[in-house]
Amino acid sequence: MLSYVAKTSLKAAAGVTVATGVYVVTYPYLCKQRSEKVVVIGGGTAGLGVAAMLQNEGMHNVTIVEPSQVHYYQPLWTLVGGGLANGKDSEKPMEDVIPKGTEWIKKRVEGFKPEANQVTLDDGSTVNYDYLVVAAGMQIDWDAIPGLQEGLAKKDSGVVSIYDRNTCEKTWNTFNAVKNDSSFNPANPAKYLFSFPATTLKCA
């Protein structure tokens, strides 16, 4: 079976590598008797997907570290910005999407100790692991563009983004407002400026 996993590596008990890079070849008969502890950092789509896959393949000692009480299916925000979905549909209680059988630690990771196979949590406690999956997602630096946060917060600024639950609906509302404005002229439409970062981004 060939499965997709965000960069991680697991080894069979006999030392045979069964996962490397971003593609994972899983062998259920190798996983059935395995008791190694796998810690997954992040309760987003990637982290939950990896945890569920490991559970399905017989890894029964899987822990997810995620402080949020709400899970957001962020790829849907692109469709929300295009008027094809509702932002509310991207939300689910985290407890409803945590794979059954996994342990959920509702704390934030503050540091890593790879030499000791430990992660440090925001309360100072530590969690041991045999294997670690880091799927914490990306932290958007809104302040990197002066005035961006103020523009997003202002209703009629014309500044929008699909990369946040609080702004993705504003994207479609703004486009609609321009189109429905009495001064709108299809022969000479309003100009839109789309920015596309050169760095890694969530999706496009």
Side-chain angles (χ1 to χ4, degrees):
M1 182 185 297
L2 186 65
S3 304
Y4 181 82
V5 175
K7 298 178 181 177
T8 183
S9 178
L10 297 175
K11 295 183 178 180
V16 180
T17 300
V18 295
T20 184
V22 294
Y23 287 98
V24 177
V25 181
T26 55
Y27 300 95
Y29 64 88
L30 289 176
C31 296
K32 287 180 180 177
Q33 303 302 319
R34 297 182 62 174
S35 60
E36 298 101 315
K37 183 174 183 178
V38 180
V39 173
V40 179
I41 306 301
T45 303
L48 296 181
V50 171
M53 185 207 74
L54 293 173
Q55 282 284 102
N56 292 338
E57 298 298 339
M59 300 291 291
H60 298 303
N61 193 358
V62 179
T63 297
I64 299 170
V65 182
E66 170 56 56
S68 302
Q69 297 294 321
V70 178
H71 171 81
Y72 295 100
Y73 182 66
Q74 297 185 31
L76 193 68
W77 295 344
T78 302
L79 299 180
V80 174
L84 300 175
N86 190 302
K88 194 68 177 176
D89 294 335
S90 70
E91 303 176 20
K92 282 187 178 296
M94 188 65 71
E95 62 183 358
D96 291 350
V97 296
I98 292 287
K100 293 182 179 179
T102 61
E103 179 186 2
W104 176 23
I105 297 179
K106 305 171 186 178
K107 297 185 183 299
R108 187 182 305 277
V109 172
E110 291 290 337
F112 297 89
K113 297 180 179 179
E115 70 284 353
N117 277 29
Q118 290 181 338
V119 293
T120 304
L121 306 181
D122 54 8
D123 63 354
S125 63
T126 59
V127 178
N128 296 318
Y129 61 82
D130 294 306
Y131 299 104
L132 178 66
V133 178
V134 180
M138 298 173 59
Q139 183 68 43
I140 298 178
D141 185 5
W142 301 104
D143 291 326
I145 301 178
L148 177 57
Q149 293 222 57
E150 293 79 2
L152 290 171
K154 189 176 180 181
K155 183 178 179 180
D156 59 350
S157 66
V159 179
V160 299
S161 174
I162 61 170
Y163 286 115
D164 188 85
R165 170 65 182 91
N166 297 319
T167 62
C168 59
E169 289 178 326
K170 181 188 176 186
T171 302
W172 176 245
N173 293 337
T174 298
F175 290 165
N176 244 355
V178 172
K179 182 179 178 180
N180 295 328
D181 191 283
S182 58
S183 62
F184 178 75
N185 181 2
N188 186 27
K191 293 182 179 180
Y192 297 89
L193 176 63
F194 290 83
S195 64
F196 193 90
T199 57
T200 303
L201 67 162
K202 293 183 179 183
C203 61

